[in-house]
Amino acid sequence: MLHTKTKQAHWNIEGNDFYDKHKLFDEQAEQIAETIDDVAERIRTLGHLVPATLKAFLELTRLTENVPSINNSQTFIGDLLLAHETIIIHLRANIDLFANDYEDLGTSDFITGLMKEHEKTAWILRAHLKK
């Protein structure tokens, strides 16, 4: 869902900062695509099949789909920032679960790394909202 939201921003951004934000959103979408692959490989490493259908994605996501009424950078950045913050909260809540309850330090470390990536992206998006 995050990849789709980011590509939506990349494709539909309008305004005098079009080129800058078009490029920013594309770079972020590429990073998200790499992260998706890393997550899928972690799931396979643990011996599970990867849920890889749109239906599964919609069932598993904590993000919401929306179509902004205004296609400017502030709207898209605000929406993407909220999405990253939602993911950060979920990852943070599960770090100890994997380490302590499941005794899976590898996955705990993996999702800590994911959390750090989302925190950095959130920081970058927040910086773009400053006037």
Side-chain angles (χ1 to χ4, degrees):
M1 180 66 73
L2 181 59
H3 185 262
T4 299
K5 289 169 89 64
T6 305
K7 289 304 276 191
Q8 177 187 38
H10 168 71
W11 291 323
N12 293 308
I13 184 71
E14 297 176 331
N16 60 359
D17 59 349
F18 163 81
Y19 183 75
D20 176 51
K21 298 309 182 283
H22 179 74
K23 187 174 177 181
L24 172 71
F25 296 142
D26 194 39
E27 290 169 359
Q28 289 182 349
E30 287 178 18
Q31 177 60 45
I32 293 165
E34 290 177 22
T35 300
I36 290 168
D37 193 56
D38 290 343
V39 170
E41 289 177 1
R42 180 69 192 165
I43 292 168
R44 291 299 295 146
T45 298
L46 295 172
H48 302 285
L49 294 177
V50 177
T53 65
L54 295 177
K55 181 181 178 188
F57 296 156
L58 289 173
E59 288 172 356
L60 293 169
T61 190
R62 289 179 172 58
L63 304 179
T64 58
E65 282 188 306
N66 67 321
V67 178
S69 58
I70 301 171
N71 291 334
N72 65 22
S73 59
Q74 298 298 300
T75 301
F76 283 122
I77 289 171
D79 184 51
L80 292 173
L81 177 58
L82 180 61
H84 283 279
E85 289 173 339
T86 299
I87 292 168
I88 291 165
I89 290 166
H90 177 69
L91 291 170
R92 194 172 282 146
N94 284 284
I95 291 170
D96 288 338
L97 175 74
F98 281 104
N100 300 329
D101 294 3
Y102 300 134
E103 297 180 357
D104 184 351
L105 296 177
T107 300
S108 180
D109 182 59
F110 179 78
I111 66 172
T112 298
L114 292 178
M115 182 188 68
K116 290 168 59 177
E117 286 180 28
H118 287 284
E119 287 173 338
K120 184 173 182 180
T121 302
W123 163 60
I124 291 168
L125 291 170
R126 245 183 255 106
H128 280 278
L129 291 176
K130 298 285 183 183
K131 293 192 177 209

